[in-house]
Amino acid sequence: MAGSLRMIENYEMSGDPARIDAALVHHWLSTDAYWALGRSREQQDRAIAASMNFGGYGIASGAQVAYARVLTDQVAFGWLCDVYVDRAVRGKGRGTALVTAVREELAPLGLRRVPLATEDAHEVDEKAGFRPLEEPGKWMSYGR
């Protein structure tokens, strides 16, 4: 799961975990992502270690501009989460490109389901092929 997955304009999407800037990802999520506000660095580092990680990077600068991770057993199920695009480059297709690259990278695994949850990025995720649950009444959750 390493190397370039997809290019869009001057940006590259990559599944190489060595390229993830963990400090930057923690800053983004803990200070600007409604679902992860206040998340500690230790918690974020554990999340990164337990996940498949993906980033978006400027080709010229190499700077990370986006992040997503997937929790998966690599057989039947994956959960796409922590999708974040730096505010400075939003609205230019980076999020859709990243989510599409993640979906394409997971395709060979044959996962039966890859859900995600979002309050505000439905249009981005729909462009990448995600749809609302057909039978949400079958799904249950534990926790807050």
Side-chain angles (χ1 to χ4, degrees):
M1 302 281 167
S4 180
L5 302 171
R6 182 179 200 73
M7 305 287 256
I8 178 174
E9 295 176 17
N10 295 320
Y11 293 88
E12 162 188 34
M13 306 307 152
S14 174
D16 182 353
R19 293 183 70 183
I20 299 297
D21 183 337
L24 178 61
V25 168
H26 172 255
H27 173 74
W28 283 338
L29 297 179
S30 68
T31 64
D32 192 40
Y34 65 85
W35 65 90
L37 293 175
R39 184 181 291 170
S40 74
R41 176 64 192 267
E42 187 269 333
Q43 289 172 316
Q44 186 60 49
D45 287 348
R46 283 193 346 244
I48 289 171
S51 304
M52 294 174 66
N53 297 276
F54 301 87
Y57 306 89
I59 292 174
S61 68
Q64 187 169 352
V65 298
Y67 175 75
R69 68 186 181 95
V70 177
L71 291 165
T72 182
D73 61 8
Q74 298 191 25
V75 174
F77 189 83
W79 180 274
L80 177 58
C81 53
D82 286 347
V83 179
Y84 185 90
V85 176
D86 189 312
R87 287 188 176 274
V89 299
R90 287 186 188 169
K92 300 173 184 168
R94 309 297 184 265
T96 299
L98 181 60
V99 172
T100 300
V102 170
R103 189 198 70 217
E104 291 171 356
E105 186 74 0
L106 295 175
L109 298 176
L111 302 178
R112 187 171 171 160
R113 282 191 184 77
V114 181
L116 59 82
T118 184
E119 287 183 6
D120 60 356
H122 292 87
E123 307 82 34
V124 170
D125 301 320
E126 285 174 349
K127 288 177 189 173
F130 284 80
R131 301 289 177 259
L133 293 173
E134 289 181 22
E135 300 180 72
K138 287 185 174 184
W139 288 79
M140 297 179 71
S141 177
Y142 172 80
R144 44 185 177 128

